[in-house]
Amino acid sequence: MAQTVVQISGHIIDSLILPKVLDLIISLGAQFEILDIQIGHRRSDRSHARIKVEASSPDLLDVVLAKIREHGALPEQVEEESLQLEAALLDGVFPERFYATTNLETWVRLEQQWIPVESIEMDCGIRIDASARKAQCVPMHRVKKGDLVVVGQRGVKVVPLERQQPGAPFEFMASPVSTEQPKGLLIREIAESMQRVRRDNGRILVVAGPGLVHTGASKYLAELIENGYVQVLFAGNGLAVHDMESDLYGTSLGVYVDQKIRAAEGHEHHLWTINRIRKAGGIRQAVEQGLIRKGIFYSCVKNDVEFVLAGSIRDDGPLPDVITDTLQAQDIMREKARGVSFALMIATTLHAIATGNLLPASVKTVCVDINPAVVTKLTDRGTFQALGLVTDVEPFLRELCSDLDLNVVCSS
Amino acid sequence: MAQTVVQISGHIIDSLILPKVLDLIISLGAQFEILDIQIGHRRSDRSHARIKVEASSPDLLDVVLAKIREHGALPEQVEEESLQLEAALLDGVFPERFYATTNLETWVRLEQQWIPVESIEMDCGIRIDASARKAQCVPMHRVKKGDLVVVGQRGVKVVPLERQQPGAPFEFMASPVSTEQPKGLLIREIAESMQRVRRDNGRILVVAGPGLVHTGASKYLAELIENGYVQVLFAGNGLAVHDMESDLYGTSLGVYVDQKIRAAEGHEHHLWTINRIRKAGGIRQAVEQGLIRKGIFYSCVKNDVEFVLAGSIRDDGPLPDVITDTLQAQDIMREKARGVSFALMIATTLHAIATGNLLPASVKTVCVDINPAVVTKLTDRGTFQALGLVTDVEPFLRELCSDLDLNVVCSS
Amino acid sequence: MAQTVVQISGHIIDSLILPKVLDLIISLGAQFEILDIQIGHRRSDRSHARIKVEASSPDLLDVVLAKIREHGALPEQVEEESLQLEAALLDGVFPERFYATTNLETWVRLEQQWIPVESIEMDCGIRIDASARKAQCVPMHRVKKGDLVVVGQRGVKVVPLERQQPGAPFEFMASPVSTEQPKGLLIREIAESMQRVRRDNGRILVVAGPGLVHTGASKYLAELIENGYVQVLFAGNGLAVHDMESDLYGTSLGVYVDQKIRAAEGHEHHLWTINRIRKAGGIRQAVEQGLIRKGIFYSCVKNDVEFVLAGSIRDDGPLPDVITDTLQAQDIMREKARGVSFALMIATTLHAIATGNLLPASVKTVCVDINPAVVTKLTDRGTFQALGLVTDVEPFLRELCSDLDLNVVCSS
Amino acid sequence: MAQTVVQISGHIIDSLILPKVLDLIISLGAQFEILDIQIGHRRSDRSHARIKVEASSPDLLDVVLAKIREHGALPEQVEEESLQLEAALLDGVFPERFYATTNLETWVRLEQQWIPVESIEMDCGIRIDASARKAQCVPMHRVKKGDLVVVGQRGVKVVPLERQQPGAPFEFMASPVSTEQPKGLLIREIAESMQRVRRDNGRILVVAGPGLVHTGASKYLAELIENGYVQVLFAGNGLAVHDMESDLYGTSLGVYVDQKIRAAEGHEHHLWTINRIRKAGGIRQAVEQGLIRKGIFYSCVKNDVEFVLAGSIRDDGPLPDVITDTLQAQDIMREKARGVSFALMIATTLHAIATGNLLPASVKTVCVDINPAVVTKLTDRGTFQALGLVTDVEPFLRELCSDLDLNVVCSS
C-alpha cells in the first residue's frame, strides 16, 4: 500500500475542485482520507484541505498524483520537490516523458522558488532558461536541440480555474453530449446494470420508437423480451404497426427490412396492417388467431410482458390497443412504471419525455438516439438522472444482446 | 410478359412527372417504351405521352401500374374501368385491400363519370355515396359498417402536383438526408461497388477522420487495407496519431479503446506518441524500427498503400509525415486522386470537402458520418455526386467488412 | 428581344437534364420554346431536343446560355464557335473572366476539333497547349505567366452526368436541407405568400410549439394574430401554458423571458398557471375574467381566431381546453384545416407531422425549426410539399413581422 | 436583513450537493456563512454543515429557502415546522400555491413525524390522508374536491440524489447544450463582457467562418470592427473571399446577399474575386487601390485591425494573404493571441478548435454556431472554459450590435 498526503486550497468547494479531486482518486482505483479541512465561511474566504491518498501500488499512486495535480492538489512535500530537466536531443523533438502542459496557469519550482510558465497553452512542453530563471511554454516544433525541458510532474503546479460569479454562464460549463466516445464500454455497463436488476428480480422498462423497426433492430428487442430482460414496454401506435407490418408483409413503411430490398414506396402495407389488426380485435387476438407469428409484440404476448400503447395525434388508425386518451394513457403508464428500477429509452422523443416525467429520480434511465437533441431535451425537462448515448439504434441493440450473451439468429 | 399502355399529360417534363414515372417503371423491374409523345413548346402548353409498360408477370405489372398511377400515369382503358367497391363489415374497419389515399387531388370513376374525392388527406380510404354521386375521403376510425369503400386501384386517378414557378422554393423540394433507413441495403451496395471496382483493377480512395479510432473502428479499416480494398488513404495528423497512440499505449486521446476501460483523462499519450514518431523520423521508419506493430498505418506501410497526411492549423506536433503546406498537400492529393474510381469518406469534414473539390464527378463518392450536416456540406460545396450515409462509423465499417467477407478478429 | 437556339441530347429526360435546363431558363427570367424533340423509346435510346431561348437583352441571354451549357445545352452554332484564349500576365493569376471549371467531363473546341480537358476538377481554369493540341485543367496557383487560358464560355462544352440505374442511391441524390442560405429571401417570399393568401381571403394555419415562448418570440405571433395573418392555430398544452405563464408570472418554465433575467429554476409557475386556468374554467374564461391580459391566446380570444389544443402524453395538467382524446383532436384539426391555403409550422415536431398528415398537398406548407431533423421527418412522412427553413424561431418571426410591415413594440 | 440557518448532511461534497446549494444562494442574490462543517474523512462517512443564509428581504429569503430545500438544505427549525394543508375546492384543481413535487424522494412532517410521500413523480401535488397518516403524490387531474393538499414549503423535505460510484456514467450527468433558452440574456452578458474588456483596454479576438457572409451578417462584424470591438481577427481564405466577392459582385457563392435575390448558381464570382485580389497583390493592396470599398476586411485595413488568414486544404486560390503553412500559421496565431482577454468564435469549427488550442484557460471564450456539435467538439478538445450558444449567426450579431448600441444601417 503506497500513500502520500496532498493539500489543496482556494475556493475548492464552490469551484468544484475538491469534489473533482475526490472523484478522480476513487475513479482511478485509489482511496482517500480527509485529514484536515478548513472551510471558508464566506464567499471571499478560502478553504484548505489535507488529504491522504492510498493506492495499491507506487505506480498507481504516481498516476493518481499526476492527475490530481492538474486540479491543484499538490503533495505536501512539493516545496522540497525539484524540477526534473532533460535536454532535447534533436530539433523539434522533446525528451521522452516530457511534461505536457494544460491551458491553466502553471508554475515550476526552480532553485527553491516558484516561477510562472510564460505563454501557457495546452499540449506543449516547458523549456527552462536556468540562467535567466525563466520558464516558457514551447510547442513541440519549436524546441531546439540542447534546450532544457521539464520531464515528469515533480516541481510543477497548476492553478485551477476558480469561478468568479456563481451561476454565470462563463463559469459553470458542463461537458455536453459527445458522439466521440468508445461506446462499447457504456453498452457493457448498461448490460451489467440490466443483469444486476434481473438478478434482484427488479423490473426493466423499455420505451421504444418506430425507428427501431425501420433500421432492422426489432429482432434484438424481441430477443431481450424472450430472455426476460423486459418487464414492461411503453410505445405508440407506430412501433406496433411497423413491427406487425414487418411480420405480415416483410416491409416497414413499404421497405423490405430483412431482405434489404427496397419495395415501391407506399403506405398500403402500413394501413392494411392496422386494418387487419382492427378486424382481429387487437394485438393479443391477432397473435392468438395466428395472424401475427413473430416480432416484438408477438414476443410480448407470448411472454406475458405488459405493453402500453399511448395515442398521439399523428397516429394512423390506430390499433385497438392504443389508448387514445392521453390522460388515461398517462395514468396507466404511471401505474405500470411502479417498481421499475431500470428504464431504457430507444429512438423516441415523445414517449421518452412522457415516461421521464413519471419516473422517480432513483430509476436508472438510459436514453439512446442518433440525434443528440433528444437526450438534451430529456435532461432539460427534469429527468436529470438520464444517461444519454448518441448512436445508431440497430448496432446498439445488437451489441447489447451480445453483451448479454443472447444469440440472435439473423436469418429471420 | 404482361404489358399495357398508359398515358400521362400535363406539364409532365418540367414538373418532373415523366422522369419520375419512367424511373419508377425501371426501378420496380419493368421496362418501358414511349409510343408517342407531344411536348408543349412553351411553358403554358401541356405535354402528352403514351407509354407501353412491360413486366415479367401480371402481378408485377399490377404493382407498377398502381405506383405510377400515383403520379398520374393512367391505363388507356381507364375510361372503361369501373370502381371496385366493397362494404365495410365492421365499424372502424375497412374492407381488405382498400385503396389508401395520398394527399393529392383524387378522382373516382362512378357510372362513367369522374367525380372528385372530397376532403382529400393522406392515409385514409374513399367512401362512396352512390345515390348522391359523392366520394369522400374518410379516416379509418370513421368508417361505419355497411359503408361502400373503394378497393384496389381501378377507377381511381390522382392529379400530380405541378410546379407553378420554376425555381420557387415551394415547388422544387428535395428529399433530404434521412437517418431512418435500413442501412444494411446501402452498405451492401457499397460493398458490391468496392468489389466491382477491385475486379476491374480500379483504385479505391479512403478519406478518414480521427473519430474512427476513438470509436474502436480502426481494426476494420486496417482489414480493408490488408485485403486490398484501399489503394490510397487521405487523412490528417489526428488519425495517424490516434492510430499509433492506440498501438503504443492502448489508448486514444487517453481512453483505452480496445479493453474498453477508461483511463485517466489526459493528453500525454497523444503528445508522447507524436514525439516518439518525430524521433524515429516518420511513420515508415517507426514501422521499420519495430516501434509500430499494428494498426491502420502499419498496414499501409506493410502493404505499400500510399497515404497523404495533410496539415491543418489544429494539429499537435505534427508528425514528420504531415505536409504542413496546404497548397503542396492539395497538389499531392490531386496527383494521388488520379485514377481513383471510388471514394469512401468516413468521419471527416475538412478532408472530405477538400477531397471532394479535387475529384471528377464521375468518381462514385460515399460519405459516412453520424452528423447529417457533414453530408449536407459536401453536396452544398459542389460534390453533388456524393451519397451520404448518416450512421455510426464503427458499426458501418464492421458491417462493410462482413459484407466483403473479411474476418476481423476482435481480440486485438 | 435576344434569342438563340440550343440543342441537347442524351438521356435528357430520365436523367432530369431537360427539366433542369427548362427550369434554369425560366428562373433566370428568360423564355423557351421547344422547337423539336425526339424522345428515345426505350431506356437505351437517346433523346434529342432543339430549344429556342429568348431573353429581354443580349446580356441576359449570355447569362442563360452560360448556365445551361453547364447542363449540356449547347448553341446550335457551337461547332463554329472558337475558343477564346488569353495569356496569363502573372504567375498564379488567371486572365480576367477566365472559364471556371466544373467537375464534369469537359471538352474544348480547338481548331475545329473537340478535345477533352485532362484531369478535370472543379474551380480551376483550362490551359491550352496549342502545339500539342492539349487542354489541361489547372489550379490557380499553378498557372504560369504566358500560359494560354480559356476565357468565357465559347468553345467549351460539358457532358452532364447521366444516371446509370434509376433509383440507385448513387445516382439520384437530392440536395438536402442546408443551414447556409441567405434566409432573408425565403422569409420575404413567405411574407408575400401570406399577403397574397389574405388578399384572396384565404385561410392561414399556424402550428406552433412551446419553444416559441422560451425564446421570447410570442409577441411576434400575437402580432400576426392581431393583424389578421392567422385564421387558425394548432398547438398543444405546452404552448398555451408557457404563453399564459409568461403573462401571469413573467416567466416561461421558470425563466423571466422579457426582462431577460434568470429566475430560480423550478416548475411552480408552470404548474400554478395550469391550476389557475383550470380554476377559471378555460382560456376564454380566463381572458374574460381579466386573468389573462396579453399574449398569443389572449389575442386569439380577442380576435376570434380559432385554436385547437391537442393533447399528448407528456402534458402537465392539462388545461381544460386541451382535447385529450387524440382521435377526437385529429377530427377537430381535420375540420378546422378545411379551406386552409397556407400552413406555417414553427418549432414543433409532433404537431407539424400530425397536421402535415391532414393537409392536402395543395396547401403551401413552411416548416421552421433550428433542428434540420424536423424538416426531414416531415417530408419523410409524406408532406413532400413542405419547405423547410432551418433557423432560430425568434429572429424568423421578428423578420417575418417586419416584412409584413407589422410594428412590434418590444417593450412588452 | 432577513436570515436563517439551514443544515445539510450526507455525501454533500462529492455528490456536489454543498457546492450546488452555495451556488444557488449566491446566484439568487443572497449571502451565506458556513457556521459549522464536519467533513467525512472517508467515502463511507457522511458530512454535515450548518449554513447561515442572509437575504435583503424576507421574500427573497423565502425564495432562497424554497430552492435550496430541493437540494436537501433544511431550516434548523424544520423539526418544528408543521405542514400547511388546504382543501381542494374543485375536482381537478389544486389550492393556490400548492407544493409542486420533484422526482426526488420526499417526506412530509405530519403530527411531529416524518412520513414518506408515496409514488413520487415530478410536477404533481401531495395529498394527505391524515387519519391513515399517509401522503401521496397526486397528478392535478386526479385530485378531488375536499382532498387535503400540501401548500407552501413548510414541513416538506426532499432527499437529494447521491452518487454511488464516482465517475460512473449514471451518476455524473452534465446538462448539455440546449437550444431552448432565452438567448437575449446571454447575448447581453456577452455585450457587457466586451464592453468591460474594452474599458480596461483589453484585446478582443474574433474567429469567424464564411457562413457569416452567406447569411448576410458581415455588416455587423464590420460594425464591431469600426467601433473598436475587435482587435484581431482569425479566419480562413473562405471568409475573406466571400466578404470581398460580396463587395465586388454583390454575391456570396453566387447568391446576391444584400438584395436577397438569388443569382444563377455558379462559382465564377468566387474564383474571379480570388484572381483579382491575387492580381492586386493582396487584401491591403486591393483596399488601397480602391478595388475593395466596404466589408469586413476593408474595415480591418482601414482601422488597422490585425487579421490572420490560415490556410486549409479545402481553399480555392488562395488569396495572397493566406498563410498556407499550417505550422507557420499556428505560430502567428499564437503570437497574435497574446494578451487577448475575450474570444468570440462564430460559425467556424476548424478555426475555433485551432484557436482554442492556443488560448490560456483564463480567456473568456464564447462559441456561436447553429450546430450544437461545434460547441461540443470545442469543449471535448480541452477548451472547457468555452460558453456555447446555439443560434443563427446573423440574428446573434444583429442583437449583439444592438446591445452594444451600434447602429448598423441595413441598406448597404
Side-chain angles (χ1 to χ4, degrees), chain D residues 393-412:
Chain D
V393 162
E394 193 269 347
F396 166 77
L397 280 174
R398 195 192 325 160
E399 193 157 346
L400 181 64
C401 281
S402 151
D403 284 348
L404 289 167
D405 290 320
L406 307 183
N407 288 311
V408 182
V409 180
C410 294
S411 70
S412 36

Side-chain angles (χ1 to χ4, degrees), chain A residues 280-321:
Chain A
I283 294 176
R284 172 168 296 276
Q285 293 86 332
V287 170
E288 286 166 357
Q289 293 164 25
L291 183 62
I292 296 300
R293 278 174 293 194
K294 72 173 153 43
I296 298 167
F297 286 83
Y298 172 86
S299 292
C300 283
V301 169
K302 284 299 176 193
N303 293 276
D304 280 322
V305 166
E306 295 180 298
F307 55 86
V308 182
L309 300 184
S312 113
I313 50 170
R314 72 180 170 216
D315 291 345
D316 289 316
L319 296 172
D321 307 76

Side-chain angles (χ1 to χ4, degrees), chain A residues 39-43 45-47, chain D residues 32-37:
Chain A
I39 303 285
H41 290 191
R42 299 178 161 281
R43 282 220 74 238
D45 301 340
R46 295 167 66 82
S47 303
Chain D
F32 67 82
E33 182 176 348
I34 296 178
L35 300 177
D36 203 14
I37 187 163

Side-chain angles (χ1 to χ4, degrees), chain B residues 11-26:
Chain B
H11 295 110
I12 59 179
I13 291 194
D14 66 341
S15 292
L16 303 181
I17 295 167
L18 180 58
K20 185 74 189 161
V21 164
L22 301 183
D23 187 50
L24 274 170
I25 295 171
I26 298 293

Side-chain angles (χ1 to χ4, degrees), chain A residues 62-125:
Chain A
D62 278 354
V63 168
V64 173
L65 293 179
K67 279 304 139 203
I68 64 177
R69 261 191 123 105
E70 291 180 9
H71 297 272
L74 298 170
E76 283 196 307
Q77 63 275 33
V78 72
E79 303 299 322
E80 298 148 33
E81 282 182 8
S82 55
L83 211 51
Q84 284 180 277
L85 299 178
E86 227 173 89
L89 293 174
L90 294 170
D91 278 8
V93 179
F94 284 129
E96 299 262 322
R97 303 191 74 79
F98 68 97
Y99 176 86
T101 57
T102 68
N103 59 1
L104 298 165
E105 187 186 327
T106 306
W107 297 72
V108 293
R109 187 150 181 90
L110 196 61
E111 298 169 24
Q112 269 90 65
Q113 263 191 307
W114 288 106
I115 59 170
V117 178
E118 291 170 16
S119 309
I120 195 70
E121 168 186 335
M122 72 172 83
D123 294 338
C124 295

Side-chain angles (χ1 to χ4, degrees), chain D residues 199-346:
Chain D
R199 216 175 295 124
D200 303 343
N201 286 310
R203 284 163 64 79
I204 295 175
L205 163 66
V206 170
V207 186
L212 204 138
V213 182
H214 308 324
T215 56
S218 34
K219 56 181 169 289
Y220 302 108
L221 179 51
E223 204 59 26
L224 290 177
I225 294 166
E226 294 285 347
N227 284 276
Y229 283 110
V230 184
Q231 276 59 56
V232 56
L233 175 66
F234 289 177
N237 189 58
L239 180 74
V241 176
H242 293 319
D243 176 51
M244 294 186 295
E245 175 188 340
S246 162
D247 185 28
L248 289 175
Y249 297 96
T251 56
S252 171
L253 278 180
V255 177
Y256 288 100
V257 175
D258 284 332
Q259 300 159 57
K260 297 185 176 171
I261 296 169
R262 246 179 254 152
E265 44 195 310
H267 277 209
E268 283 92 348
H269 290 173
H270 179 76
L271 293 167
W272 292 351
T273 299
I274 299 171
N275 200 49
R276 288 171 76 177
I277 305 299
R278 286 173 75 99
K279 197 170 167 190
I283 294 175
R284 174 167 293 279
Q285 293 87 332
V287 170
E288 286 168 358
Q289 292 164 24
L291 182 63
I292 296 299
R293 279 174 294 195
K294 72 171 156 38
I296 297 167
F297 285 83
Y298 173 86
S299 292
C300 283
V301 169
K302 283 302 176 191
N303 293 277
D304 282 323
V305 166
E306 295 180 298
F307 56 86
V308 181
L309 300 184
S312 110
I313 50 169
R314 72 180 169 215
D315 293 344
D316 289 314
L319 296 172
D321 306 76
V322 168
I323 303 160
T324 59
D325 188 88
T326 52
L327 269 184
Q328 193 191 339
Q330 268 185 8
D331 282 346
I332 293 175
M333 288 163 73
R334 199 164 256 137
E335 186 195 311
K336 302 293 185 198
R338 291 280 146 72
V340 159
S341 44
F342 189 94
L344 181 60
M345 295 163 170
I346 312 171

Side-chain angles (χ1 to χ4, degrees), chain A residues 15 199 231 249 272 287 291-292 296 309 323 355-356 392 404:
Chain A
S15 290
R199 216 175 296 126
Q231 276 60 54
Y249 298 96
W272 291 351
V287 170
L291 183 62
I292 296 300
I296 298 167
L309 300 184
I323 303 158
T355 306
D392 233 2
L404 289 167

